[in-house]
Amino acid sequence: ATQQEELEAQRDDKAATLEEQKEQAAILQEQIAVKSKEITVNEDLTADDLRAWTPIGNLYAIYCGMFDGGDFTISGLYLSDPEMDYVGLFGYTSYNYPITDVHLTNSYFEGNSNVGGLFGNAGSNISGCSVSDTVTVKGNSNLGGIAGGSQFGELTNSYSMANIISGEEGYDRGGLVGYNYMRISNCYTTDSVIVGGNNASYGGEFSNTFFLADADDDLEGTTPMTMEQLRSGEIASLLQAGIQGEEIYDEETDSYIT
């Protein structure tokens, strides 16, 4: 075959692969069930209350594809296995595929390591996602409201209010990500810790990101807020300014938040 024929064959293969990924994502969207049930974070949950869930993807069968949640809310998922790793709506996702506009509420995830509301371990570019305060994440290490662990990628325009419970020897627990390699921007968490561990040498950077004020995080690009500020319209204006690239003046610190 000529070089031109080889290039055309490679292009056709890539197009076929992309089309297959789109079809898989469409099937996945159809298969995810939404079950409405009102619960509180202090309520004892059992498998009878919620739907038993198997995470999408794991370390040996990584989910490689895009996913558009369509701004729908997924509710009522339950998984409790203290020995299981990579627990969440998605267990393990591949780098550089976008996952957008997914919202999770009224759910309970318990595992060992890499446990998160939306991702056990996230390699995707994540945008427009949220986890409500009726979601509980429980485990021993790498625990996060959005993702337990992360690879290289981006987390933008998202927030988590999840209730995160770590074991006695637990470590790397964060309101957004447990152990972080991602670039995080225009996000907030009602937890007092943004990320449990951060690798700034390999992508762990922050901008216009907010967290609860009673914390000792001093990560560049992050700003402490009170619970009143997080619950008010102030956080919305700050996040919107971040999307538009504006600067907001903070009277208390006599400086601009960028």
Side-chain angles (χ1 to χ4, degrees):
T2 65
Q3 184 177 11
Q4 181 63 30
E5 289 173 337
E6 289 178 356
L7 290 173
E8 290 178 355
Q10 291 175 3
R11 182 185 61 195
D12 292 342
D13 288 342
K14 289 181 179 179
T17 300
L18 180 59
E19 190 61 33
E20 181 180 354
Q21 290 169 351
K22 288 181 179 179
E23 291 175 0
Q24 290 174 348
I27 292 171
L28 176 61
Q29 285 177 281
E30 291 177 359
Q31 290 179 341
I32 288 181
V34 177
K35 178 181 177 182
S36 177
K37 180 172 177 64
E38 292 299 322
I39 60 174
T40 66
V41 295
N42 294 321
E43 191 173 356
D44 291 330
L45 305 178
T46 69
D48 293 332
D49 297 319
L50 308 172
R51 176 184 174 180
W53 183 249
T54 300
I56 303 165
N58 57 54
L59 181 61
Y60 305 102
I62 298 171
Y63 178 73
C64 300
M66 59 190 75
F67 182 78
D68 182 353
D71 266 334
F72 287 100
T73 297
I74 298 170
S75 178
L77 304 184
Y78 177 90
L79 193 160
S80 179
D81 184 346
E83 297 182 357
M84 186 175 184
D85 297 333
Y86 306 109
V87 172
L89 174 65
F90 291 87
Y92 205 114
T93 63
S94 180
Y95 171 63
N96 213 28
Y97 291 95
I99 294 181
T100 60
D101 301 325
V102 183
H103 309 288
L104 181 68
T105 188
N106 298 339
S107 298
Y108 180 94
F109 291 117
E110 179 182 6
N112 177 40
S113 179
N114 286 272
V115 185
L118 293 178
F119 304 89
N121 190 285
S124 309
N125 289 327
I126 304 162
S127 179
C129 295
S130 71
V131 178
S132 81
D133 59 358
T134 57
V135 173
T136 294
V137 172
K138 183 177 181 180
N140 292 316
S141 63
N142 291 10
L143 311 175
I146 298 287
S150 70
Q151 307 157 52
F152 312 108
E154 295 185 355
L155 173 61
T156 61
N157 306 328
S158 301
Y159 70 87
S160 171
M161 304 172 70
N163 178 41
I164 305 170
I165 304 172
S166 59
E168 292 182 2
E169 299 180 1
Y171 59 91
D172 290 342
R173 171 202 175 283
L176 291 176
V177 182
Y179 195 84
N180 182 56
Y181 285 86
M182 283 184 156
R183 291 185 296 274
I184 298 177
S185 63
N186 226 43
C187 295
Y188 77 89
T189 173
T190 53
D191 200 280
S192 59
V193 180
I194 299 173
V195 296
N198 188 60
N199 195 320
S201 300
Y202 293 92
E205 300 174 355
F206 303 86
S207 63
N208 205 48
T209 294
F210 306 89
F211 63 99
L212 193 61
D214 59 344
D216 56 4
D217 269 346
D218 59 354
L219 297 167
E220 183 178 352
T222 69
T223 303
M225 306 283 280
T226 65
M227 184 59 76
E228 288 72 22
Q229 288 173 307
L230 289 171
R231 287 174 174 169
S232 72
E234 181 175 351
I235 186 68
S237 66
L238 291 169
L239 293 173
Q240 184 63 30
I243 294 174
Q244 297 173 350
E246 299 175 2
E247 290 187 333
I248 298 292
Y249 180 72
D250 186 345
E251 293 182 356
E252 292 186 4
T253 61
D254 190 26
S255 63
Y256 285 93
I257 301 173
T258 58

